[in-house]
Amino acid sequence: MKKSLVAVGVVAALGVVWTAGAWFTGKQMEARFADMIDQANAHLTSTVPEAGLKLSYENYQRGLFSSHVQLILQPTGSEGSPWLAPDQKVVFDERVDHGPFPLAQLKSFNLLPAMASVTSTLVNNELSKPLFDAAKGQSPFSALTRVGYSGATDTKIALQPLNYEADGEKIVLSAGTIEINATGDGKTLGLSGEMQSALIETLNEYNQHVQLSFTNLQSDGSSEMTEFAERIGAQKLSLDKLTLSIEGQQMGLLEGMKLDGASTLTEDRK
């Protein structure tokens, strides 16, 4: 009987600690969210200034164990951007499970403490509807991001199969995955991904049917920011087979393709 009471007491104490920890990290996330958005916008401005895009958020709803927020990507000016018209926006639904042991990470048996785990899905609106149609009504991708107390992130993106066909064009993509990890300051990045197959059919300027297909695409790379604000690193890309056809006639074939690239700093010997 005494052992049972002790066990119940331990479980209750752990529950109190977890609840208090989740509440505390939830408040931390909310307090830091504006800074995270500012950092993301600064990164957008420095890396792709010509894009003319900005990130914002709305509808932040903080709960005890989880919170909800929407991220919005839209043009910075009233004239739009090269990628989005003035009235267009890309919206992401974000469910934030609070640490120190986020529920989404526990479901995948990751028992390491973390500030939060963020589940991201694309919102179906007028702009993104063709992607949802191509994914048979499902979100074309979902992302799960683990946020450490240092600010470091590990993201796993699951790509759904897509099948799009309209106006003489056709795109068929298999399921795929992308993994991204970054340090808290964003200076060190890692990126890897894979997709089993893809088929793209379109018309060229001579109104000829062009078909491009590949199988077993894999990529892996990492980079770091130098003191001169330039990225260096290494990248690998491989394909089992790449085929190009025009009007049903095979024009090009690559098999067993592997590409390795690297960039480093060299000493100026002048």
Side-chain angles (χ1 to χ4, degrees), residues 45-67:
T45 302
S46 63
T47 55
V48 282
E50 69 281 358
L53 298 174
K54 66 178 179 180
L55 192 66
S56 61
Y57 72 96
E58 62 182 23
N59 300 328
Y60 197 111
Q61 302 171 7
R62 180 167 61 86
L64 181 58
F65 292 104
S66 65
S67 298

Side-chain angles (χ1 to χ4, degrees), residues 57-114:
Y57 72 96
E58 62 182 23
N59 300 328
Y60 197 111
Q61 302 171 7
R62 180 167 61 86
L64 181 58
F65 292 104
S66 65
S67 298
H68 176 267
V69 67
Q70 286 191 326
L71 294 182
I72 301 170
L73 188 67
Q74 58 190 351
T76 56
S78 59
E79 296 181 358
S81 76
W83 295 354
L84 296 177
D87 59 342
Q88 289 182 325
K89 60 183 179 181
V90 182
V91 184
F92 301 93
D93 251 340
E94 310 285 327
R95 175 189 166 89
V96 183
D97 289 318
H98 305 158
F101 300 104
L103 292 176
Q105 294 294 317
L106 292 179
K107 289 178 181 179
S108 58
F109 301 101
N110 190 338
L111 304 181
L112 294 176

Side-chain angles (χ1 to χ4, degrees), residues 86-255:
D87 59 342
Q88 289 182 325
K89 60 183 179 181
V90 182
V91 184
F92 301 93
D93 251 340
E94 310 285 327
R95 175 189 166 89
V96 183
D97 289 318
H98 305 158
F101 300 104
L103 292 176
Q105 294 294 317
L106 292 179
K107 289 178 181 179
S108 58
F109 301 101
N110 190 338
L111 304 181
L112 294 176
M115 177 182 288
S117 180
V118 184
T119 303
S120 308
T121 54
L122 184 66
V123 172
N124 191 350
N125 60 16
E126 185 178 355
L127 179 63
S128 61
K129 186 179 183 303
L131 285 175
F132 278 82
D133 292 342
K136 298 182 178 179
Q138 298 185 43
S139 177
F141 70 87
S142 61
L144 181 63
T145 301
R146 180 183 181 275
V147 184
Y149 282 98
S150 67
T153 57
D154 292 297
T155 301
K156 298 180 186 294
I157 303 173
L159 305 174
Q160 295 295 324
L162 298 182
N163 193 327
Y164 170 83
E165 189 169 0
D167 302 324
E169 295 184 339
K170 183 177 182 179
I171 300 176
V172 181
L173 304 178
S174 71
T177 60
I178 300 173
E179 294 191 19
I180 306 169
N181 55 73
T183 54
D185 57 10
K187 291 184 177 180
T188 302
L189 297 173
L191 174 65
S192 62
E194 61 87 19
M195 179 173 287
Q196 287 302 309
S197 64
L199 172 67
I200 301 172
E201 295 182 358
T202 187
L203 294 174
N204 63 14
E205 63 269 29
Y206 304 108
N207 207 36
Q208 296 174 313
H209 289 88
V210 179
Q211 184 183 86
L212 178 70
S213 64
F214 66 76
T215 57
N216 195 21
L217 169 66
Q218 297 191 24
S219 66
D220 189 18
S222 61
S223 69
E224 59 180 323
M225 186 73 72
T226 68
E227 58 182 311
F228 307 106
E230 296 290 341
R231 286 201 168 273
I232 59 173
Q235 295 78 39
K236 293 182 179 181
L237 179 71
S238 65
L239 279 170
D240 280 359
K241 186 177 182 180
L242 175 67
T243 305
L244 174 65
S245 300
I246 298 179
E247 290 294 328
Q249 297 295 316
Q250 183 173 289
M251 306 299 293
L253 173 64
L254 287 174
E255 292 184 307

Side-chain angles (χ1 to χ4, degrees), residues 1-70:
M1 183 67 176
K2 290 182 179 180
K3 289 183 179 180
S4 298
L5 290 175
V6 170
V8 171
V10 170
V11 171
L14 288 174
V16 170
V17 171
W18 189 356
T19 301
W23 175 83
F24 178 70
T25 54
K27 283 187 68 74
Q28 277 191 314
M29 279 293 295
E30 184 177 8
R32 292 182 56 181
F33 212 81
D35 290 338
M36 293 167 66
I37 295 297
D38 288 342
Q39 290 175 11
N41 281 322
H43 186 68
L44 275 174
T45 302
S46 63
T47 55
V48 282
E50 69 281 358
L53 298 174
K54 66 178 179 180
L55 192 66
S56 61
Y57 72 96
E58 62 182 23
N59 300 328
Y60 197 111
Q61 302 171 7
R62 180 167 61 86
L64 181 58
F65 292 104
S66 65
S67 298
H68 176 267
V69 67
Q70 286 191 326

